[in-house]
């Protein structure tokens, strides 16, 4: 069976060229911060899992449900300010809806790894625990996945790498924590039908 052609539905070369300098700075920032966390005092290590729902800025792409598992560090910088890098393995799906000429709407599914690096501001809540305000950049890499559930997609390295901004809330209850986040990509990808990815995720974790 012939593999689906991986080509953008509209020209994006000029967009990529104009934003190349900014994009490289974002990627470099995430990598440097992620590699430097070992130089700080570790305040807490946690394991987490949850659900995500993803869509695209491209019209007629609906919301699809996936999931993730991962780990996080809490590194106290000063007072209520923390640095919280996370490492997540995820499954995502983007599906085009409302196709007039196909019995089955096309979709791309992806398994990959994500590295959010979040600044976290901790607010103590008496008799409950604490509330965290989290925000920062993330770096994402789609390792493999399927097109239409029948064929493996083949994409360039440029299409597999994504990055953007993430923000959310976190509730801490002793060793248990609950997270809720929204993220928006700053890179168009064919795996998002040529658009920017939007995603919500909720998770629960245990801190050691």
């Amino acid at each position: 069976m012939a593999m689906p052609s991986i080509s953008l539905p509209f020209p994006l070369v000029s967009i990529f060229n104009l934003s190349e300098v900014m994009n490289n700075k974002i990627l470099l920032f995430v990598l440097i911060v992620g590699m430097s966390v070992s130089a700080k005092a570790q305040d807490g290590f946690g394991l987490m899992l949850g659900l995500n729902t993803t869509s695209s800025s491209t019209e007629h792409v609906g919301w699809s449900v996936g999931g993730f598992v991962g780990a996080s560090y809490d590194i106290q910088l000063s007072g209520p300010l923390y640095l919280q890098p996370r490492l997540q393995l995820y499954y995502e799906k983007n599906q085009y809806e409302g196709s007039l000429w196909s019995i089955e709407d096309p979709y791309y599914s992806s398994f990959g790894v994500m590295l959010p690096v979040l600044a976290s501001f901790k607010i103590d809540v008496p008799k409950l625990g604490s509330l965290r305000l989290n925000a920062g950049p993330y770096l994402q890499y789609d390792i493999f996945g399927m097109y239409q559930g029948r064929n493996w997609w083949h994409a360039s390295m440029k299409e597999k790498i994504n990055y953007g901004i993430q923000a959310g809330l976190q509730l801490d209850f002793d060793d248990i924590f609950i997270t809720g986040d929204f993220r928006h990509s700053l890179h168009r990808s064919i795996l998002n039908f040529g658009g920017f990815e939007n995603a919500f995720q909720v998770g629960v974790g245990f801190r050691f």
Side-chain angles (χ1 to χ4, degrees):
M1 182 179 294
M3 303 300 292
S5 176
I6 301 298
S7 60
L8 293 176
F10 45 84
L12 297 173
V13 176
S14 60
I15 296 176
F16 291 139
N17 290 338
L18 289 174
S19 61
E20 183 176 357
V21 174
M22 182 187 71
N23 294 344
N24 289 339
K25 288 182 179 180
I26 294 173
L27 294 175
L28 184 61
F29 172 78
V30 174
L31 292 174
I32 290 176
V33 174
M35 290 185 295
S36 66
V37 297
S38 59
K40 299 289 184 179
Q42 179 178 322
D43 187 67
F45 170 78
L47 296 177
M48 57 192 303
L49 58 85
L51 298 175
N52 60 48
T53 178
T54 54
S55 184
S56 171
S57 62
T58 299
E59 292 186 2
H60 306 300
V61 177
W63 292 90
S64 299
V65 177
F68 70 93
V69 295
S72 68
Y73 283 102
D74 277 322
I75 304 165
Q76 188 172 18
L77 300 178
S78 177
L81 184 61
Y82 289 74
L83 185 67
Q84 188 185 91
R86 301 177 184 175
L87 182 63
Q88 298 176 356
L89 303 176
Y90 62 84
Y91 168 78
E92 294 181 351
K93 179 180 175 183
N94 280 301
Q95 183 161 4
Y96 190 89
E97 297 180 344
S99 175
L100 297 177
W101 309 109
S102 175
I103 297 176
E104 183 180 3
D105 291 330
Y107 72 84
Y108 289 96
S109 64
S110 301
F111 292 87
V113 60
M114 184 180 303
L115 175 65
V117 180
L118 308 176
S120 181
F121 187 80
K122 182 178 180 180
I123 303 172
D124 290 328
V125 181
K127 299 182 180 180
L128 181 61
S130 61
L131 172 68
R132 299 283 193 94
L133 307 178
N134 299 330
Y138 70 88
L139 180 65
Q140 175 181 352
Y141 180 72
D142 293 304
I143 302 173
F144 65 91
M146 302 199 76
Y147 175 78
Q148 289 289 79
R150 295 186 295 270
N151 302 313
W152 299 105
W153 49 253
H154 297 281
S156 66
M157 182 66 69
K158 187 175 185 179
E159 297 297 336
K160 291 181 179 181
I161 294 177
N162 214 329
Y163 47 86
I165 53 176
Q166 177 171 322
L169 300 175
Q170 176 177 323
L171 293 174
D172 292 339
F173 308 96
D174 294 328
D175 296 331
I176 304 296
F177 60 94
I178 300 173
T179 62
D181 298 279
F182 171 77
R183 68 175 186 270
H184 174 74
S185 71
L186 300 176
H187 171 64
R188 296 179 186 268
S189 171
I190 186 59
L191 302 180
N192 300 320
F193 291 94
F196 300 104
E197 184 178 71
N198 295 310
F200 291 95
Q201 70 176 39
V202 292
V204 61
F206 182 83
R207 184 177 295 106
F208 295 91

